[in-house]
């Protein structure tokens, strides 16, 4: 048992020694969201903002975790023909694996996103409190700590049990890494 503990400790130390650094920053941008649903919906434009933490493991690979406020939803016509908004506000936590095509410049990212509903405009909708999604995108580090991202996120869980609807969001972001 002591040998196993020692081996794990050595491997962990070696892994930590290889880490190139930790970057912390902020990001904000536009959400172009819709519901992938069995009802006819139109997309809406909203926003997202939050914090970014990137752990560089090797020059061509890092892991990025985020905590962001994300406003999402769609528009639809009700039975009377009036347009109604579905606005869903989430605290989202994507965990992205980043593969650098050009070290320290251009990367592709993919990973899961865990979102927790904090507000909805229609209490009658009774949206689920948790949303699981798959995300993928691209990032360009422009100069210094300034970066730009484009990401697509598709829901894996239903927004509501009554209708077959999942979130679908395209995000454009700009951000800044402080260190």
């Amino acid at each position: 048992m002591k040998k196993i503990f020692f081996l794990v400790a050595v491997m962990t130390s070696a892994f930590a020694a290889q880490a190139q650094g930790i970057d912390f920053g902020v990001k904000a941008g536009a959400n172009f969201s819709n519901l992938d649903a069995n009802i006819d919906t139109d997309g809406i434009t909203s926003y997202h903002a939050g914090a970014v933490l990137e752990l560089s493991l090797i020059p061509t690979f890092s892991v990025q975790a985020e905590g962001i406020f994300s406003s999402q939803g769609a528009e639809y016509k009700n039975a009377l023909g009036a347009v109604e908004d579905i606005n869903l506000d989430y605290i989202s936590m994507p965990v992205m694996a980043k593969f650098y095509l050009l070290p320290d410049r251009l990367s592709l990212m993919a990973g899961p996103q865990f979102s927790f509903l904090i507000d909805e405009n229609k209490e009658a909708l009774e949206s689920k409190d948790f949303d699981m999604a798959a995300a993928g995108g691209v990032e360009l580090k422009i100069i210094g700590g300034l970066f730009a991202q484009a990401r697509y996120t598709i829901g894996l869980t239903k927004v509501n049990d009554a209708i077959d609807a999942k979130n679908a969001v395209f995000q454009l972001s700009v951000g800044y890494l402080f260190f």
Side-chain angles (χ1 to χ4, degrees), residues 8-77:
V8 170
V10 168
M11 289 175 60
T12 303
S13 298
F15 177 74
Q18 282 190 351
Q20 298 296 314
I22 297 175
D23 293 321
F24 175 77
V26 293
K27 71 180 242 181
N31 282 351
F32 304 96
S33 64
N34 203 344
L35 292 176
D36 183 11
N38 60 1
I39 59 173
D40 188 28
T41 60
D42 290 322
I44 64 169
T45 302
S46 54
Y47 64 95
H48 65 276
V52 176
L53 181 70
E54 182 176 348
L55 174 62
S56 297
L57 303 176
I58 58 175
T60 58
F61 179 76
S62 65
V63 176
Q64 181 171 302
E66 301 174 4
I68 58 175
F69 172 85
S70 182
S71 182
Q72 301 170 187
E75 290 181 345
Y76 74 99
K77 288 187 180 178

Side-chain angles (χ1 to χ4, degrees), residues 68-142:
I68 58 175
F69 172 85
S70 182
S71 182
Q72 301 170 187
E75 290 181 345
Y76 74 99
K77 288 187 180 178
N78 65 17
L80 302 174
V83 175
E84 292 195 37
D85 291 330
I86 299 172
N87 293 324
L88 305 169
D89 294 336
Y90 291 96
I91 295 295
S92 297
M93 293 180 282
V95 179
M96 309 299 286
K98 293 177 68 174
F99 303 95
Y100 281 89
L101 302 174
L102 299 173
D104 292 328
R105 183 66 65 196
L106 180 66
S107 63
L108 296 177
M109 62 181 80
Q113 177 172 291
F114 311 97
S115 299
F116 301 91
L117 183 69
I118 57 171
D119 191 27
E120 64 181 316
N121 70 325
K122 296 194 171 302
E123 297 301 326
L125 186 62
E126 295 181 11
S127 298
K128 291 185 176 182
D129 292 336
F130 178 75
D131 183 51
M132 174 78 172
V138 63
E139 177 183 273
L140 176 64
K141 291 188 177 175
I142 300 167

Side-chain angles (χ1 to χ4, degrees), residues 153-167:
T153 305
I154 186 71
L156 301 174
T157 57
K158 292 181 184 179
V159 172
N160 179 291
D161 284 328
I163 58 173
D164 186 17
K166 297 176 182 175
N167 283 310

